[in-house]
Amino acid sequence: MHRIIKSHLDNFVKSNALEQFDESEQFEMFVNHSVMSSKMIGIVDVENVTTGEGDDGTDGIAIIINEELIVSDDDARIVFNSERRNHDVDIVFVQSKRSESYDLGDFLKFKESILKFVNSDTYEVNEDIQQNARQVFDIVIDNVPKIRNGKPSFIGRYVTTGVYRNPEALELAKVEFVKQLEDIGYFSQVDFQFLGRNEITKLWVDTYSGVTSRLSMFSNAPLPSIVGIEEAYLAVVKAKDFINEILTNEDGNLRNNVFEENVRAFLGVDNPINTAIAETINNQETSSRFPVLNNGITIVSEDVRVQGSILHIQNYQIVNGCQTSNVLFENRNNIHEDLMVNLKVVETANEDVFSELVRATNSQTKVDETQFLSLRPVSKRIEDYFNTYEGQDGRLYFERRDKQYTGKDIPNVRIFSLNNTAKAVCAMFIERPDLSYRYPKRMYELYTEKIFSDDVKEIIFYTSSLALYRLYLLVAKADIPQNVRKFKWHIILLVRFIISGKEMPELNSRKMEGYCQKIIDVCAKSNDEVINIFNKAVAIINSIEDLTDDRLKRQSVMQEMIDKI
C-alpha cells in the first residue's frame, strides 16, 4: 500500500478504535467513511455501510435520503410518509482495493453486483447490509413521485491506492456500464468514477478539515461589540459570487451540509414562497430590488476575517435563508450579473449563542422548538455534564452540533453525536436495542419526548456512551471478539443488567444517579473486572441460537438474552 494512504489509514483506524480488523477491512471502512461523509450529515457509522464476507463484489452500500443514512425499510416508510414531497435520494455503491492497479475483472464483478441489486425481481445475497439496502431501495422506487427529479441519483466509486490513467479497456467498460444504468431508467443521473490515492486522500482530509470559503463583497459594515460574538458584519454581495463560493462544492453540487443547523429543510421550487423568490430573481425588472424584498441570509462561522473587500469564513453554516439559498442555486444559470444578496455574517465559538441564533433567526417560521433537538435546554445540560469529566480517562465529547469538534484533534471514538447518544440511551435505558440497531426513525417517533424530556437525568447519556466507548476499546485490544460490534446495542443493555441489576429507577429519579454510577465506576477503567463483564454479555449473545440480522431487528430476542442473565 502507498505510504501516504497507509499513514492516513493508520490515523483513521486509531481514531475509530478499529485495530483488530484486518487491513483489508480497515481499508474498506476508511474508503466508505471518506466517500460517504461528503454525502450525509453527521458521523458515518461505517459498520452500517461496509459489507461483510458474504458480499458479491460490493464493499460499501448506502441509501441516503435527505443526507441521512436509512438502514431499514420501516424508516424509509416513515420518511416518505412525511409531508415533504421533494426528497433527495442517493444510492451509493463502493468497491475498494488496496492495490495500486485497476483490474478489469474486479470492475466487472462490481458492475454485476450493482446490476443484480438494481434489476433482480427477487434479490438474494448472503450479506445483511446489502439485503437491508435492497429493501430500502424497493421503498424508494415505490415512492419516486415524492423524490426530487422523480428518481434517485446513482453514485458509484471504484477506489484503489494507485493513480487512474484512463486505460482504454476500463474506460470502454465504464461507458457501457453507465449506459446500461441509464437505459434501466431508475436514476435521474448516473455518476460513476474511478478514484485513486489523490482523490481518496482529499475526501478523507475533507472529513476533518471543514469548509473554507472567500467571498468578494460589494459593501460591508461591521456591527458594534456584542457579548458572546467575536465579530459580526452586514454585507451585500453578488448572488453569483455567493452561489459559486459559498453554496457550490468542487463537484458543482450544492453544499447540503452547510444547512444542517437550519431548522427548515428546503421546501422545493413548487412551494408558493419559493416560487415567488424565483420569479423575482428571474425578472430583469424586479431582480434589482431583491436585496430590499428579501430578508437575506444569516451565516455563522467559527472564523471570520475581512481583508479589504474580501470576506474569509471557515466551518460556516447558514442558520437562516435556507429557502433563499436553495432557490438561488436552483436558478444559478439564470442569475443576472447585477443581482445582489444581503448577508449577516457572525463569528462565534459559543455554542449557546449559536443555538440562540438558530432559534431567533427562524422565529418567523413558527417552528416548534422541540423540532430541533440540539436547541433543547436538556442538550446543553448533557454537554455540560460530559465536560465535567475533563482530564479524566473517561473524558467523552457530546457533539451537540454536527462537526462541533472538527479540527480539534480529538479521536472519533471519544466523540458522541446527539444521534448516537440518543441511540445508546434507547438501547440501554429504554431497553429497545432493536430500534437503535435498525429503526432510528421509529425510535424518534416513539421516544423523543421520553429521552429528551426536561427532567431526564443527564447521567444516563454519559453512562450509555461510556459503555459503548468501553466496548469499542475492548474490541480494539482484542479483549472481546471484534465481530461483536454488530451487537453493541444489545451488549450495553446486558452490561447494565449485569452491573446494576434489572430493577431500574425512573429516568428522572434521583436514584438514577446511584444506579448509573455503578456502571460508570466499572466502565471508566480498563481492567479484568470490565473485561469479564463484557465477555459475560458476549457469551449470552453467542448462546442465542440462529441470531440472524432479522432476529436482531425484533424486540423478542432481547427478552431471550435477558432471561439468560
Side-chain angles (χ1 to χ4, degrees):
M1 184 182 297
H2 194 274
R3 287 184 64 185
I4 294 293
I5 294 296
K6 176 61 175 170
S7 178
H8 286 306
L9 175 62
D10 290 345
N11 179 268
F12 167 78
V13 168
K14 183 178 179 180
S15 180
N16 291 278
L18 300 171
E19 287 88 346
Q20 281 306 304
F21 288 89
D22 292 338
E23 187 182 71
S24 60
E25 295 174 286
Q26 292 171 347
F27 185 69
E28 289 174 5
M29 293 179 181
F30 170 71
V31 170
N32 289 336
H33 172 85
S34 301
V35 169
M36 295 177 188
S37 288
S38 64
K39 309 297 179 185
M40 66 178 74
I41 294 170
I43 298 172
V44 177
D45 189 342
V46 291
E47 294 167 31
N48 284 331
V49 298
T50 305
T51 59
E53 294 180 355
D55 76 81
D56 60 355
T58 295
D59 295 326
I61 187 169
I63 312 293
I64 302 171
I65 305 179
N66 304 326
E67 291 81 56
E68 288 188 60
L69 176 67
I70 302 298
V71 294
S72 71
D73 53 346
D74 187 63
D75 273 7
R77 290 188 186 93
I78 291 173
V79 171
F80 288 117
N81 284 337
S82 67
E83 295 181 1
R84 182 170 173 174
R85 291 295 179 269
N86 63 326
H87 298 279
D88 295 297
V89 182
D90 292 327
I91 317 296
V92 185
F93 295 86
V94 179
Q95 172 68 283
S96 313
K97 296 296 179 185
R98 288 175 294 165
S99 68
E100 296 191 21
S101 62
Y102 294 83
D103 185 81
L104 178 60
D106 287 336
F107 167 75
L108 294 176
K109 184 179 179 182
F110 183 35
K111 165 189 167 181
E112 291 306 315
S113 173
I114 294 172
L115 290 176
K116 176 183 176 182
F117 180 96
V118 173
N119 268 337
S120 298
D121 292 331
T122 54
Y123 183 66
E124 294 183 5
V125 63
N126 190 30
E127 210 291 316
D128 292 334
I129 289 176
Q130 286 180 281
Q131 194 69 52
N132 286 327
R134 171 54 194 257
Q135 292 171 3
V136 177
F137 180 72
D138 288 339
I139 302 299
V140 167
I141 297 302
D142 289 342
N143 287 274
V144 289
K146 301 176 183 178
I147 296 175
R148 193 191 302 275
N149 300 320
K151 300 176 184 178
S153 297
F154 172 91
I155 298 168
R157 299 290 184 264
Y158 181 112
V159 183
T160 78
T161 61
V163 176
Y164 187 65
R165 304 187 186 281
N166 304 94
E168 184 178 0
L170 274 173
E171 282 296 296
L172 289 173
K174 171 187 169 182
V175 170
E176 180 186 353
F177 179 40
V178 169
K179 187 176 186 306
Q180 283 180 279
L181 289 173
E182 290 173 342
D183 289 344
I184 290 170
Y186 283 167
F187 305 107
S188 60
Q189 62 179 18
V190 176
D191 175 13
F192 186 92
Q193 296 179 32
F194 292 101
L195 304 184
R197 59 174 174 263
N198 294 331
E199 292 81 12
I200 200 62
T201 295
K202 184 182 185 310
L203 287 172
W204 160 243
V205 171
D206 285 348
T207 66
Y208 60 80
S209 297
V211 182
T212 301
S213 295
R214 64 190 300 277
L215 183 65
S216 296
M217 297 180 289
F218 179 78
S219 65
N220 74 90
L223 292 176
S225 178
I226 304 172
V227 176
I229 292 176
E230 283 73 28
E231 293 185 68
Y233 297 88
L234 299 178
V236 179
V237 303
K238 287 187 174 183
K240 279 194 171 182
D241 291 341
F242 174 73
I243 294 168
N244 293 333
E245 302 300 331
I246 303 297
L247 298 181
T248 308
N249 63 23
E250 293 183 356
D251 296 328
N253 298 318
L254 181 68
R255 281 178 171 146
N256 284 296
N257 61 342
V258 301
F259 299 106
E260 61 205 38
E261 285 294 341
N262 197 287
V263 174
R264 292 178 296 165
F266 182 44
L267 301 175
V269 293
D270 295 329
N271 175 271
I273 294 176
N274 292 341
T275 298
I277 295 174
E279 289 175 351
T280 300
I281 64 179
N282 285 316
N283 185 298
Q284 183 71 52
E285 182 178 339
T286 60
S287 63
S288 63
R289 297 196 288 269
F290 187 71
V292 179
L293 299 173
N294 187 267
N295 288 332
I297 296 162
T298 303
I299 301 175
V300 179
S301 168
E302 66 180 35
D303 185 14
V304 176
R305 290 179 294 111
V306 173
Q307 296 177 319
S309 63
I310 305 297
L311 172 70
H312 300 265
I313 53 178
Q314 183 174 344
N315 291 344
Y316 57 89
Q317 296 195 311
I318 295 173
V319 300
N320 185 251
C322 173
Q323 307 307 312
T324 298
S325 298
N326 274 272
V327 173
L328 286 170
F329 185 82
E330 293 287 338
N331 291 272
R332 59 194 178 279
N333 295 325
N334 302 320
I335 297 293
H336 301 297
E337 189 66 35
D338 58 352
L339 181 67
M340 298 291 176
V341 178
N342 294 324
L343 301 183
K344 184 189 298 179
V345 184
V346 178
E347 176 185 340
T348 182
N350 188 315
E351 292 299 323
D352 295 333
V353 173
F354 193 104
S355 295
E356 188 178 341
L357 282 166
V358 175
R359 185 184 296 108
T361 55
N362 287 280
S363 60
Q364 76 279 5
T365 65
K366 298 182 181 178
V367 174
D368 181 357
E369 292 206 0
T370 64
Q371 177 183 340
F372 209 58
L373 294 175
S374 68
L375 297 183
R376 292 194 178 192
V378 66
S379 295
K380 167 60 176 169
R381 299 203 311 271
I382 296 167
E383 182 181 26
D384 289 342
Y385 187 89
F386 273 60
N387 291 342
T388 63
Y389 289 88
E390 184 65 47
Q392 300 183 35
D393 288 342
R395 175 58 160 126
L396 305 178
Y397 298 81
F398 177 67
E399 193 174 52
R400 182 154 55 116
R401 175 174 59 86
D402 188 55
K403 300 188 186 300
Q404 183 175 337
Y405 296 106
T406 295
K408 301 280 196 296
D409 197 28
I410 298 169
N412 286 342
V413 72
R414 289 184 181 268
I415 299 174
F416 287 81
S417 67
L418 187 148
N419 184 50
N420 277 342
T421 307
K423 289 197 286 187
V425 168
C426 182
M428 192 176 221
F429 294 105
I430 306 295
E431 301 182 9
R432 292 298 304 273
D434 54 305
L435 297 180
S436 304
Y437 178 60
R438 277 289 179 259
Y439 304 110
K441 291 284 185 186
R442 178 67 66 189
M443 174 191 77
Y444 283 115
E445 274 196 342
L446 296 175
Y447 296 113
T448 291
E449 296 311 316
K450 186 170 185 177
I451 294 173
F452 291 99
S453 65
D454 287 338
D455 60 351
V456 72
K457 294 297 181 182
E458 300 88 350
I459 195 171
I460 68 172
F461 293 87
Y462 176 79
T463 303
S464 53
S465 297
L466 181 65
L468 203 56
Y469 168 72
R470 182 55 58 192
L471 182 148
Y472 291 149
L473 294 192
L474 292 175
V475 169
K477 295 178 180 178
D479 290 324
I480 58 177
Q482 63 97 31
N483 62 353
V484 303
R485 284 178 63 127
K486 176 179 181 178
F487 311 108
K488 59 190 176 187
W489 306 116
H490 296 76
I491 288 175
I492 63 172
L493 175 55
L494 292 172
V495 165
R496 189 204 103 193
F497 287 143
I498 294 169
I499 297 174
S500 291
K502 297 179 182 179
E503 295 299 321
M504 184 186 76
E506 294 295 323
L507 298 186
N508 60 356
S509 168
R510 289 184 178 180
K511 294 181 179 179
M512 181 57 79
E513 300 279 350
Y515 185 85
C516 286
Q517 192 60 50
K518 295 178 183 178
I519 302 171
I520 292 173
D521 290 343
V522 172
C523 292
K525 304 170 185 176
S526 178
N527 54 27
D528 290 341
E529 181 184 13
V530 72
I531 293 172
N532 290 336
I533 287 172
F534 272 86
N535 272 310
K536 186 175 181 179
V538 170
I540 292 172
I541 295 286
N542 290 335
S543 70
I544 304 296
E545 295 182 2
D546 192 29
L547 192 55
T548 62
D549 184 75
D550 185 62
R551 292 197 68 201
L552 282 174
K553 293 186 287 187
R554 303 183 187 281
Q555 195 173 357
S556 58
V557 75
M558 191 66 237
Q559 190 57 50
E560 287 185 51
M561 296 177 185
I562 294 171
D563 291 342
K564 291 178 177 287
I565 295 177

